[in-house]
Amino acid sequence: MYGIVSELPGFLSVKSFKADDGEELTVFRFSSEEALEAWRTHPEHVQTMKRGHAEFYVSGFLQVCKVIREVGPFDHSQRK
């Protein structure tokens, strides 16, 4: 799926994290709600989501969040 999402206009990044207890988190970043909607409704993504829910995931949840403020990145390497 990365090959598809990374080519969509407005895609910024994706990062995945796994906690020691096995919980997984994936963060997709898009430049706009329109770009997110294009990914959400992409036919191959829709099919993959259906398969994932049916075959792989027992439970889970989705959060769609809006960034209120973003600060950084910080570069502290030049401290004296």
Side-chain angles (χ1 to χ4, degrees):
M1 291 281 86
Y2 180 77
I4 295 170
V5 71
S6 65
E7 296 297 319
L8 291 176
F11 169 78
L12 298 175
S13 65
V14 62
K15 292 183 182 179
S16 294
F17 306 91
K18 187 170 186 176
D20 292 339
D21 65 2
E23 183 177 7
E24 295 181 48
L25 169 70
T26 302
V27 178
F28 286 86
R29 294 183 69 220
F30 295 90
S31 63
S32 67
E33 290 184 42
E34 293 79 17
L36 170 61
E37 184 66 10
W39 173 235
R40 188 185 73 77
T41 60
H42 189 282
E44 288 183 60
H45 183 225
V46 170
Q47 284 302 110
T48 300
M49 284 190 301
K50 287 179 182 177
R51 183 173 179 224
H53 293 294
E55 298 178 28
F56 300 106
Y57 298 109
V58 175
S59 66
F61 64 93
L62 171 72
Q63 291 179 325
V64 177
C65 305
K66 190 174 230 177
V67 175
I68 297 169
R69 181 181 305 122
E70 185 170 4
V71 181
F74 298 102
D75 181 1
H76 298 293
S77 64
Q78 302 300 318
R79 281 189 183 172
K80 293 183 180 184

